Every structure is written in C-alpha cells, then in structure tokens.
Amino acid sequence: MTPSKHQFVGKKVKLGELCEIYSGGTPKRSVSEYWTGGNVPWVKIGDITEKYVSSTEECITQAGLNNSSAKLFKPGTLLYSIFASIGAVGILNILAATNQAIAGLVIRDNSLDHDFLYHYLKSREVASKTSGRGVAQSNINLTILRNMQVPVPPLVVQKEIVQNLEIVSRQLKMAKLQLSKLDSLVKSRFVEMFGDFACYETKPLIKCVDCIEAGKSPKCLAFSRKMAEPGVLKLSAISSGVYCENENKALPRSVSLTIDKVVHANDILLSRKNTPELVGRSVLVKHTDGNIMFPDIIFRMHPLSPINAMYLSYLLAGPLLHSIQSLAHGSAKSMSNIPKSELAKLSIPIPALNLQNEFANFASQVDKSRFGGMLHLLNSLSGIMHASFFSVADTD
C-alpha cells in the first residue's frame, strides 16, 4: 500500500491508523510437507535479536504458507512480538513469514518515519519492563496493538531523534561487545585452569550441595514489581546466563513472600523447566534486595565444602550445560523438564579447593570491571536513550 499524505503531524495517533497490522501463523508441525525442504524464512521471537532481521532458524514451504494463517511480509516490515516476550521489535531485511506471536506492521502514512516508529516501539518495551505497567502483561492482541497511541512530531524532529538514537545505539552495541569479551575472558580462564576434568575426583551433584529445591509460584500480577516490593522471578531472570532481578512479576498485596523461597546472594539458580534450548540454564546470584522469590520451575542449591560457588556456577553453565539439558524430558513442541532425581546424579568434578578459589578471585576481579565500569555505562546509555526519546517524542 502506498503511504498517504501527511495528516497526523503534532498529534498522538492510534497505531492502527498509521499502519496495516497483521499477525502471523504456524503451519501444522505434523505435516512434513509444510516444513521439509522449506525455503520461506519463518520468524520466531528468538530470531529478533538485532534491529534488522536478516535470517531465521527455521523455514517453511510454500505449501505451509498457503495452508496456514502465516503471511508473507516484505522487507521493511516492522515486527512486534505480542505473546510471551512482549515488545521485541525488529525490521525485516528479507521476504519472510512469522509465527502468530509476532505482528507485522506496514506503515501507510507519510506522517511517520520508519526508523522513528522502530525506536518508539523499542522504547515502549524498555518502559514496560522498568515501570511494571504498560504492555508488560503475558500477551496482547491486535486490537490492543492497533489502539496503542503513538506521538507524531514533525518529520524533521522525528529524523533528528532517530539520528541521535542511532548514535547511542552504536555506543550500546560497543558496550555490549566489551561485556561479551569479558565473559569470554572468564570462560577461557576456566578452561585453562581446569583443563581435562577426567583427572579429577567426582561426586554426584546431590553430594556437592546442601539440597536441590524448587521454588514456589503463587498467583502473581501481570506486571513487574516496583522498586524492592515483593515479587517472583520470571524464567527470563536467569535464561541469559546473567542474573536479572528486574525480570519478575509483582505479588498481590494479599500474598506474602514465602520466607524459605526468598532469593539470597550466593544462591545458584537453575531452570528446571523451559524451552529445549533454555532449559538447564543457571546463574550465581551475586546481589539481591532479598525481597523476591524464585518460582517452582527453578531449582536452587548451595555448594558444600570443598566446592566453591563461583566454580560450580561456571561448571554448570558451561562444560556441563549440554549434559544437564540431555536430562530434560519433553518434545520440541512443549516445555522440557529436568527431573530432580536425575539432576541429583549429575557427576561433578572436584579440583583442589585452592585452584577453585583462585578461579573465583579472577572471576570476581573481572566482575568488578563489568559492574563498576561497562555495565554502568550500558545502563546509563540505555536510560539516557529512552528517557530522551520520551521527553522529545511522547508529547501531547
């Protein structure tokens, strides 16, 4: 559709008036001809990792496209996730279809700059996570999306905002790259220090920790807690390999924290139930406000002597991750689950404690660089980016 002439400048306008909005679909997995040998890129939320989506993990066939609610979107279509991870945003660089968790937005009005809308939707994602309100519910439908209010300042202002945000985006990307390099440095050091685990004494995991316990999942509100109010972690709090306490759901006022399920510093948390690629992911909690619980789909453990917590956490998250994930039960269509009884038998190599402590000291020094420098810069840039965007763009 050819965009219309400018008509919304200086107003807040419903997204549905600015764009054509469609949802995608999934061909039946049971029909092999819809998937085998497919050459139509098919976008899932996990494929939206950068501003531009240029490749996908899976493809469907033309028959799959024709016999499902999936739609083919042209390059330049904005993608917006409406289920599960709400508010993930990307721009198609290729001709592709999407699953039903992703809406395709095609701008139909010249009042709106393509990159401006991308950044506005991106800022809504950040706002929903930090405010605990907005679009942070479990999912939204197309009606809610079409009714979303979007500010439309003059095009010259939109382009100026985009130019400034692109500069900050590049700085953010560089900061994230530096953090990634620090992570790689610690992982490399781990391999250098411990090498071939076959030479060490081993014990089953249950003999190396005080217990392996699941948390509790009371009914929560649809949004995140404010500041240090009571809450319950979401799986996304540990799925990235870094503990993210702001990934949570608020507890209703009528529900109290279960004290023995509250997260503490030095807890090792491991996802016992998740998608096949994320099940078994674990983190070491280094800082917490002590007012948040872990859910029943996460295991918690504390190492016993002679096991260092930092050593065990890197072991579980790195060399043993594949072994942990192989314990999971479930199909590709469902959430995989790791039985406690099988995780308890996992063989843990035990190097000399002084060697474990040496590694832990090294990792702690790297963490100081991460949290004292690069992570602070990353958070500051992200905050400046979106606060500035709202102050300029989100006006009446």
Side-chain angles (χ1 to χ4, degrees), residues 118-330:
Y118 165 81
H119 282 293
Y120 183 75
L121 294 175
K122 191 71 177 174
S123 69
R124 294 272 304 196
E125 177 191 19
V126 173
S128 71
K129 289 181 178 180
T130 56
S131 70
R133 303 298 184 266
V135 294
Q137 60 260 48
S138 298
N139 57 71
I140 62 175
N141 56 38
L142 293 188
T143 299
I144 293 173
L145 185 58
R146 290 182 178 121
N147 286 327
M148 181 188 294
Q149 295 282 325
V150 177
V152 187
L155 273 172
V156 64
V157 176
Q158 293 183 43
K159 291 183 181 298
E160 182 181 350
I161 291 170
V162 169
Q163 183 179 20
N164 291 335
L165 290 182
E166 292 291 350
I167 292 172
V168 178
S169 292
R170 287 193 289 272
Q171 292 175 320
L172 279 169
K173 192 171 184 178
M174 291 177 63
K176 289 177 180 178
L177 179 60
Q178 291 301 314
L179 286 175
S180 178
K181 288 180 178 179
L182 289 176
D183 288 338
S184 297
L185 177 64
V186 176
K187 291 174 183 177
S188 296
R189 183 63 172 161
F190 187 91
V191 172
E192 290 172 6
M193 290 186 66
F194 301 109
D196 184 5
F197 288 108
C199 65
Y200 300 117
E201 172 195 3
T202 63
K203 289 183 180 180
L205 179 61
I206 195 62
K207 297 290 186 180
C208 300
V209 296
D210 55 354
C211 65
I212 301 173
E213 61 173 331
K216 186 175 181 180
S217 297
K219 186 173 182 179
C220 296
L221 301 174
F223 45 78
S224 302
R225 65 178 187 159
K226 285 185 176 180
M227 300 299 289
E229 289 181 349
V232 179
L233 293 176
K234 297 194 294 186
L235 270 176
S236 51
I238 68 173
S239 296
S240 68
V242 177
Y243 180 61
C244 303
E245 195 159 275
N246 62 336
E247 291 288 329
N248 63 72
K249 291 185 178 181
L251 278 177
R253 293 183 182 275
S254 59
V255 179
S256 300
L257 287 170
T258 302
I259 300 302
D260 63 351
K261 303 300 182 183
V262 170
V263 177
H264 299 290
N266 294 319
D267 285 352
I268 294 177
L269 304 178
L270 183 147
S271 59
R272 72 165 183 85
K273 189 174 184 179
N274 210 326
T275 58
E277 67 272 15
L278 294 178
V279 71
R281 301 275 179 167
S282 61
V283 297
L284 174 64
V285 178
K286 297 168 186 174
H287 308 280
T288 176
D289 61 33
N291 210 25
I292 196 162
M293 294 164 51
F294 63 105
D296 62 2
I297 51 178
I298 290 178
F299 285 135
R300 176 172 68 180
M301 61 193 86
H302 298 100
L304 299 172
S305 182
I307 306 290
N308 181 289
M310 187 78 79
Y311 164 76
L312 182 59
S313 70
Y314 271 89
L315 182 68
L316 296 176
L320 294 186
L321 177 59
H322 179 72
S323 297
I324 294 170
Q325 292 182 326
S326 70
L327 302 174
H329 295 219

